[in-house]
Amino acid sequence: MRRFLRPGHDPVRERLKRDLFQFNKTVEHGFPHQPSALGYSPFLRLMAIGTRSGAIKLYGAPGVEFMGLHEENNTVMQIHFIPDQCQLVTLLDDNSLHLWSLKQHGGASELREEHRFTLKGPPGSPPSATQVTAVLPHSSREVLYLGTESGNIFVVELPSFRVLEDRTITPEAVLQRIPEDNCNRRSCELVEALREHPKNPDQILIGYSRALIVLWDLQNNKAVHHFLGSQQLENLYWQRDGSKFISCHSDGSYTQWPVSSDNRQSEPLENTVPYGPFPCKAISKIYWQTTKNGLPYIIFQGGMPRASYGDRHSISVIHGSQQTAFDFTSRVIDFFIIFSSDPAAEFDDPSALVVLAEEELVVIDLKSAGWPAVHPPYLASLHCSAITCSHHVSNIPLKLWERIISAGSKQNIHYSSMPWPIDGGTNIAPDPPQRDLLLTGHEDGTVRFWDASGVCLHLLYKLSTVRVFLTDADPNDNMNTLGEDEWPPLRKVGTFDPYSDDPRLGIQKIYLCKYSGYLAVAGTAGQVLVMELNDEDAEHVVEHAEADLLQDQEGYRWKGHEKLKTRDGPVRFEAGFQPFVLVQCQPPAVVTSLALHSEWKLVAFGTSHGFGLFDHQQKRLVFVKCTLHPSDQLALEGPLSRVKSLKKSLRQSFRRIRRSRVSSRKRRGGAGNASEVQEANAKFDQDVLQEMELAPVQRKIEARSAEDSFTGFVRTLYFADTFLRDSSRHCPSLWAGTNGGTVYAFCLRVPPAERRMDEPVRAEQAKEIQLMHRAPVVGILVLDGRSTPLPEPLEVAHDLSKSPDMQGSHQLLVVSEEQFKVFTLPKVSSKLKLKLTALEGCRVRKVTVANFGSCKTDDYSENDLAVLTNLGDIQIISLPFLKLQIRYPCIRKEDVSGIASCVFTKYGQGFYLISPSEFERFSLSTKWLVEPRCIVDIPELTSNNHVHNESGKENASRKS
């Protein structure tokens, strides 16, 4: 039988691969991109959010999440839960309605689309005749009432979506019951709102755009009352007992209307313009909530004075003499109030205000004094400042975890202590097997620590590096400070703040040692900060050191941004990670690589000009190495000085490189004649254009010129204790890989612990490897005598890893964009290679070592390489034989930012940005899988639960 098997085909290995590898996209962390609609079910205590891309997401208690996607990918305009059911209806901008259900399958609930329907008018009728503007799910759970632009109200049966034509409420039928002198045909155009009577399900309130409001009797098919406002209608809200309702209008006013039994036309009780007398913006939605103390809560969106505050996104809360206008930094999509859902309760007694803004979810505690915000357990605004880098750390020790949480809790003292109010459903997923951290660096100089152990990505702690530097903004400025007589009483809420005081503060690289608590962060202006964890506030001087990566070489001039100015004297830091030393690279270019060895107390950093090593225990620079090639003139331009126009940028780059070549010839004394220069320039233009025209898959696989731009760009740094000089003695070493395919290796002499402060760390270059194809080096790894990757610093000391085998020969794996190559150590002779680009037509973008465990037995696991390519594929490659195990399509190849943002974990999972505010989590392992698993049970039915089903908005999203 063996002769019939394909070469290399091993049935045993194939079975083992099925036990080890499996690709799943498991959960989306963060805030939905471009939200467009909001709904809430007091019955299920679930919230639903719809997006412009047609996604719908349901959230309940932490860990309870569901997601659905409309096939049409149209904008979700409205979301309405069916009263007392695990069902909801969505309205899209193509006028289609969709019925979704939560159904149990395999012991867990799933969100499924059951039916879809588009309202159609008679032949020849205009689209406005059936354009749905308002949706009312009736408490009978049998029908939907659909208000349209034409003023018709259609009745649709559930769940079949069959139109009950004999029950249609036409404008003509409404006008027959209203005196002609009060209104005309145009009064019944465009239905703005439909509201069911809270005490009588046979009556509904119909609000038309031109301020006509009609109380309609469904049984007798007639108007019971009608109400005429003076301004364009925006929305309606019933008071709990049904004796009054509130209308809000386009001039920033709201009106109370009594519903009596003795007259057909009612006069308003009171008309109020909260922020008058000046012209105000429309109030698009309003709540009137009753309380035991008699003072109602009046909560509304908009209504601000148009001239001075027309650009504000606000929601106002008025309770007696208390009044606050919550000011959001992004547009308000919709909001709802959580209040008593017991139909027997006499009062609403609101407990929380939930606001969906365009860039974040904000929950306000209405029970506590001062109305503080509630810290959300999910839907984190990851992009409150733009994410610039990510770093994942697996299996955090409990002590470090508790210290980080303690530091974060001191930052959250201004948040409310109330439990999360949206708590429907039950999370039945197993507890996370370990504690994982995802660290995100941001444009404003902050690093955020997220609990990435489970389904909910929860913020634990925020670190700011701004205090070390002098910026235009004072960190003590309080944007929320208001004078006693300030009007309107605005109060800024939320965390979304896309504006950075100085883009040079941006964090580019992060490295955390989970055993020692040391943290290194590096930024856009060449700043490298080394920090340690302190449980108390402290005030101390941050020591400074400069690393001149150009080493005073002549002929170079930095044309980019300046370095950040630092504060003199002691600086006060909050409890948490506190910087104790700053290394400033010169020129102050973006730090492109970073490595920290907490056992040796060393930090290595690289830029487009070279790399350096710093001893953070002695606070002394060990060495710097300039990697800049004479033609790397582009490396002397900072990213913040680049011209936006691509054509102009290319033109300037061509001219600059030509000038540099001509001037370099002059410096060498051999200034060629004009024809030689012209010929060289023509050849250069041709080569560049040819390179640009070729797609990534078609790029020629050939040796690159040493004069290619950015060859000195340091892509990766790696510490290793290995055999570098001879095979009998191992020593600490530092490895660096550049964009030009060069690998530098330095022997390090680190004094023993007892003399560590007395003797300096010494470094000497031992090796320099030049890859023939000159492709950028993206990863370096040393394998021990058992072909196992060397453990992390201090990992063996904490008994979390076996000691490396220092008896057998070590191997060096160099991963470039185009191939994987294994060398023997210490001779550095080529042993094995895998040409990825030549065979697959793709290039390596990210690579890491991941441990894969078998789902069948706990006794077997193996280390492999997880590789992400520029085509968005993920490949798993075996160690040390470099055999391709499996390939999965993961990210669209057009999604360049998604590919660039991808970060792998140590146990075969990964994260990448699918939008500026969302991480997609995926798993390559059969054993390590983090995904939502939850169940929603139908609560016990009580009568009149429909009273409080205020789900969905009807006109705000359409008008905006």
Side-chain angles (χ1 to χ4, degrees):
M1 289 296 293
R2 288 186 178 276
R3 70 176 183 269
F4 294 107
L5 295 176
R6 296 192 307 272
H9 181 79
D10 183 353
V12 177
R13 180 61 188 173
E14 292 301 315
R15 282 197 299 271
L16 183 57
K17 287 199 296 190
R18 287 194 292 271
D19 295 342
L20 292 172
F21 312 123
Q22 182 180 359
F23 178 73
N24 289 287
K25 291 186 178 181
T26 55
V27 65
E28 293 177 3
H29 295 302
F31 185 77
H33 185 49
Q34 296 182 325
S36 56
L38 177 68
Y40 177 66
S41 169
F43 177 70
L44 300 174
R45 298 185 71 83
L46 293 178
M47 172 180 66
I49 295 176
T51 71
R52 290 190 205 172
S53 60
I56 178 170
K57 300 185 178 186
L58 271 62
Y59 300 92
V64 176
E65 296 184 15
F66 303 94
M67 180 179 171
L69 186 64
H70 297 87
E71 288 183 8
E72 296 83 357
N73 288 344
N74 287 80
T75 299
V76 180
M77 302 298 291
Q78 298 181 34
I79 302 173
H80 299 269
F81 282 87
I82 308 299
D84 304 340
Q85 296 289 307
C86 287
Q87 289 183 313
L88 63 151
V89 171
T90 56
L91 172 68
L92 305 190
D93 66 350
D94 65 352
N95 207 41
S96 62
L97 288 158
H98 302 254
L99 179 66
W100 298 80
S101 296
L102 283 169
K103 294 198 170 179
Q104 294 192 17
H105 176 73
S109 297
E110 294 180 354
L111 181 65
R112 296 181 184 173
E113 185 178 359
E114 299 286 336
H115 298 285
R116 65 186 62 191
F117 163 76
T118 300
L119 188 63
K120 291 187 170 122
S125 61
S128 62
T130 54
Q131 182 67 46
V132 178
T133 56
V135 179
L136 172 65
H138 195 263
S139 60
S140 65
R141 306 184 290 277
E142 297 175 353
V143 292
L144 286 177
Y145 290 89
L146 306 177
T148 63
E149 278 189 8
S150 62
N152 288 299
I153 299 167
F154 296 91
V155 185
V156 176
E157 191 177 52
L158 287 177
S160 64
F161 279 135
R162 182 171 65 91
V163 179
L164 305 177
E165 296 182 1
D166 57 324
R167 295 174 62 177
T168 300
I169 304 171
T170 64
E172 290 75 20
V174 172
L175 289 171
Q176 284 178 2
R177 305 286 180 170
I178 297 173
E180 292 183 6
D181 56 342
N182 287 343
C183 53
N184 53 40
R185 173 65 181 84
R186 297 194 66 186
S187 301
C188 291
E189 288 181 356
L190 206 156
V191 179
E192 284 285 1
L194 294 171
R195 294 284 181 263
E196 183 177 340
H197 195 293
K199 298 297 183 184
N200 184 358
D202 290 333
Q203 293 183 349
I204 62 171
L205 200 61
I206 306 170
Y208 295 96
S209 176
R210 290 181 174 266
L212 173 65
I213 305 167
V214 175
L215 183 61
W216 188 262
D217 187 331
L218 298 172
Q219 288 289 336
N220 301 310
N221 206 30
K222 67 175 185 178
V224 179
H225 297 290
H226 70 275
F227 314 83
L228 279 173
S230 59
Q231 297 291 333
Q232 180 178 319
L233 180 72
E234 294 288 324
N235 221 319
L236 298 170
Y237 185 79
W238 276 108
Q239 289 193 22
R240 190 180 186 93
D241 60 2
S243 64
K244 294 190 285 288
F245 68 87
I246 316 297
S247 64
C248 54
H249 302 272
S250 61
D251 64 340
S253 67
Y254 64 84
T255 306
Q256 293 187 67
W257 301 88
V259 180
S260 58
S261 56
D262 57 349
N263 65 332
R264 295 174 56 83
Q265 179 178 350
S266 298
E267 297 299 324
L269 284 175
E270 183 183 3
N271 184 68
T272 307
V273 183
Y275 295 111
F278 305 107
C280 295
K281 293 186 69 178
I283 293 179
S284 56
K285 187 172 181 178
I286 191 167
Y287 280 79
W288 184 288
Q289 302 279 278
T290 57
T291 61
K292 293 176 184 175
N293 65 8
L295 294 172
Y297 278 85
I298 306 167
I299 304 168
F300 56 88
Q301 177 184 347
M304 283 279 138
R306 189 179 297 276
S308 304
Y309 301 94
D311 59 340
R312 298 298 182 101
H313 314 290
S314 67
I315 290 181
S316 299
V317 180
I318 303 173
H319 179 58
S321 60
Q322 288 180 272
Q323 181 167 348
T324 299
F326 293 103
D327 186 17
F328 300 86
T329 53
S330 58
R331 184 172 63 90
V332 173
I333 302 297
D334 198 5
F335 73 100
F336 62 83
I337 309 297
I338 297 177
F339 53 93
S340 173
S341 59
D342 181 5
E346 187 178 352
F347 304 101
D348 293 311
D349 283 329
S351 58
L353 162 66
V354 181
V355 183
L356 175 68
E358 200 166 35
E359 305 292 354
E360 62 186 329
L361 183 82
V362 178
V363 178
I364 305 294
D365 177 3
L366 297 176
K367 289 286 190 184
S368 302
W371 299 332
V374 182
H375 195 54
Y378 48 72
L379 285 174
S381 182
L382 299 175
H383 64 317
C384 44
S385 173
I387 294 176
T388 47
C389 65
S390 304
H391 176 66
H392 187 275
V393 188
S394 300
N395 207 6
I396 303 292
L398 179 60
K399 186 176 180 181
L400 176 64
W401 187 263
E402 290 174 343
R403 292 178 71 189
I404 291 173
I405 290 176
S406 174
S409 64
K410 294 175 183 177
Q411 296 177 334
N412 295 333
I413 54 174
H414 59 282
Y415 280 106
S416 167
S417 59
M418 82 175 294
W420 184 244
I422 305 165
D423 55 3
T426 305
N427 179 17
I428 58 174
D431 291 334
Q434 61 186 30
R435 295 168 294 274
D436 288 355
L437 274 179
L438 179 66
L439 282 69
T440 54
H442 297 264
E443 191 180 42
D444 63 355
T446 59
V447 178
R448 285 169 168 81
F449 290 64
W450 305 92
D451 177 0
S453 313
V455 171
C456 295
L457 196 67
H458 180 61
L459 182 64
L460 299 179
Y461 164 69
K462 184 179 84 169
L463 160 71
S464 176
T465 62
V466 178
R467 288 187 177 273
V468 180
F469 306 102
L470 288 169
T471 59
D472 295 335
D474 185 347
N476 296 317
D477 283 349
N478 186 355
M479 299 179 70
N480 295 334
T481 303
L482 288 175
E484 291 184 4
D485 300 326
E486 192 82 22
W487 189 261
L490 288 164
R491 190 175 107 199
K492 206 168 192 65
V493 288
T495 59
F496 179 72
D497 183 10
Y499 308 108
S500 173
D501 297 326
D502 192 329
R504 294 175 297 172
L505 291 167
I507 305 298
Q508 297 296 330
K509 295 292 174 182
I510 306 170
Y511 197 104
L512 171 67
C513 175
K514 61 186 177 183
Y515 304 112
S516 64
Y518 283 115
L519 171 70
V521 297
T524 303
Q527 70 270 30
V528 180
L529 285 163
V530 185
M531 314 185 186
E532 59 185 343
L533 193 54
N534 190 342
D535 298 327
E536 302 294 334
D537 293 5
E539 188 172 0
H540 60 257
V541 175
V542 178
E543 302 214 18
H544 300 74
E546 283 212 352
D548 181 10
L549 296 173
L550 292 183
Q551 297 174 310
D552 299 322
Q553 296 191 34
E554 295 182 3
Y556 294 104
R557 185 171 61 87
W558 172 245
K559 301 173 186 176
H561 49 265
E562 295 180 354
K563 69 176 184 179
L564 285 160
K565 295 178 181 177
T566 54
R567 293 181 184 273
D568 296 327
V571 182
R572 183 157 190 82
F573 298 102
E574 298 175 338
F577 286 94
Q578 299 173 351
F580 61 89
V581 68
L582 164 68
V583 183
Q584 178 62 57
C585 298
Q586 288 289 10
V590 173
V591 177
T592 57
S593 53
L594 185 68
L596 177 73
H597 201 293
S598 48
E599 189 173 359
W600 300 337
K601 304 291 194 297
L602 299 174
V603 60
F605 48 88
T607 72
S608 53
H609 307 119
F611 60 96
L613 180 67
F614 186 81
D615 178 352
H616 65 76
Q617 184 166 359
Q618 292 189 9
K619 300 181 178 59
R620 171 183 164 273
L621 190 66
V622 179
F623 78 91
V624 291
K625 170 72 175 177
C626 180
T627 56
L628 198 64
H629 191 272
S631 66
D632 279 352
Q633 292 296 315
L634 285 177
L636 293 171
E637 283 205 359
L640 304 180
S641 65
R642 299 273 168 82
V643 183
K644 297 295 183 185
S645 166
L646 177 61
K647 289 184 179 179
K648 189 174 180 181
S649 179
L650 284 172
R651 195 182 306 120
Q652 289 181 343
S653 300
F654 290 170
R655 289 173 180 169
R656 190 177 303 112
I657 294 173
R658 286 171 188 159
R659 285 198 301 268
S660 69
R661 290 187 172 185
V662 173
S663 60
S664 63
R665 290 193 186 99
K666 288 180 179 177
R667 283 198 300 271
R668 290 194 296 265
N673 58 36
S675 62
E676 289 176 344
V677 174
Q678 191 174 359
E679 183 180 342
N681 288 341
K683 183 180 183 301
F684 172 74
D685 287 356
Q686 184 180 355
D687 292 344
V688 170
L689 291 172
Q690 185 181 9
E691 191 72 11
M692 289 170 59
E693 288 167 3
L694 291 169
V697 177
Q698 301 168 313
R699 192 178 61 74
K700 291 182 178 179
I701 312 305
E702 59 185 15
R704 307 184 188 196
S705 167
E707 295 184 351
D708 284 353
S709 294
F710 288 109
T711 55
F713 186 116
V714 180
R715 292 286 291 267
T716 183
L717 291 163
Y718 178 70
F719 285 108
D721 187 357
T722 187
F723 301 93
L724 198 53
R725 291 196 178 281
D726 56 59
S727 56
S728 60
R729 289 178 300 172
H730 57 89
C731 66
S733 63
L734 171 66
W735 301 75
T738 73
N739 223 36
T742 307
V743 177
Y744 300 95
F746 281 75
C747 275
L748 306 178
R749 183 188 173 279
V750 181
E754 61 273 12
R755 299 195 303 275
R756 183 64 178 81
M757 289 300 293
D758 302 326
E759 299 179 11
V761 175
R762 300 192 183 280
E764 183 182 354
Q765 184 170 339
K767 306 284 184 187
E768 181 175 335
I769 308 167
Q770 178 60 62
L771 301 179
M772 294 299 292
H773 58 295
R774 298 184 183 276
V777 177
V778 296
I780 298 173
L781 183 68
V782 172
L783 307 175
D784 70 4
R786 293 188 293 263
S787 297
T788 302
L790 295 181
E792 295 178 20
L794 296 175
E795 192 173 10
V796 175
H798 284 75
D799 297 326
L800 294 172
S801 174
K802 293 180 181 178
S803 296
D805 183 353
M806 309 303 280
Q807 304 302 319
S809 59
H810 285 196
Q811 301 172 81
L812 170 69
L813 171 64
V814 177
V815 181
S816 75
E817 280 191 357
E818 296 180 3
Q819 70 179 23
F820 301 78
K821 198 162 187 177
V822 176
F823 300 89
T824 60
L825 287 176
K827 291 183 178 180
V828 194
S829 55
S830 177
K831 180 180 179 182
L832 185 66
K833 66 181 173 184
L834 170 63
K835 292 185 177 180
L836 190 72
T837 307
L839 299 175
E840 306 286 343
C842 57
R843 287 173 284 180
V844 178
R845 284 287 178 258
K846 304 275 181 175
V847 62
T848 194
V849 176
N851 183 269
F852 293 92
S854 170
C855 62
K856 297 288 180 66
T857 174
D858 293 334
D859 299 332
Y860 183 81
S861 67
E862 66 181 43
N863 291 306
D864 297 288
L865 290 176
V867 179
L868 175 69
T869 73
N870 65 319
L871 303 182
D873 293 337
I874 291 178
Q875 303 185 11
I876 298 175
I877 296 172
S878 66
L879 285 175
F881 301 112
L882 303 183
K883 298 291 184 184
L884 176 63
Q885 300 300 296
I886 203 158
R887 180 191 297 109
Y888 301 111
C890 179
I891 311 173
R892 292 181 303 107
K893 64 181 179 182
E894 298 84 7
D895 187 4
V896 179
S897 61
I899 293 171
S901 66
C902 183
V903 56
F904 288 108
T905 78
K906 194 177 178 181
Y907 295 99
Q909 296 185 68
F911 303 82
Y912 69 93
L913 288 171
I914 53 174
S915 74
S917 59
E918 290 173 291
F919 273 114
E920 176 82 71
R921 187 178 191 137
F922 62 87
S923 175
L924 306 169
S925 169
T926 56
K927 189 173 182 180
W928 298 90
L929 197 65
V930 175
E931 61 181 349
R933 186 168 173 79
C934 42
I935 193 166
V936 176
D937 292 317
I938 299 181
E940 186 177 343
L941 283 174
T942 56
S943 61
N944 292 332
N945 267 331
H946 66 276
V947 171
H948 305 290
N949 191 354
E950 289 289 336
S951 62
K953 74 173 173 176
E954 294 174 359
N955 66 336
S957 64
R958 173 170 49 82
K959 291 190 173 183
S960 63

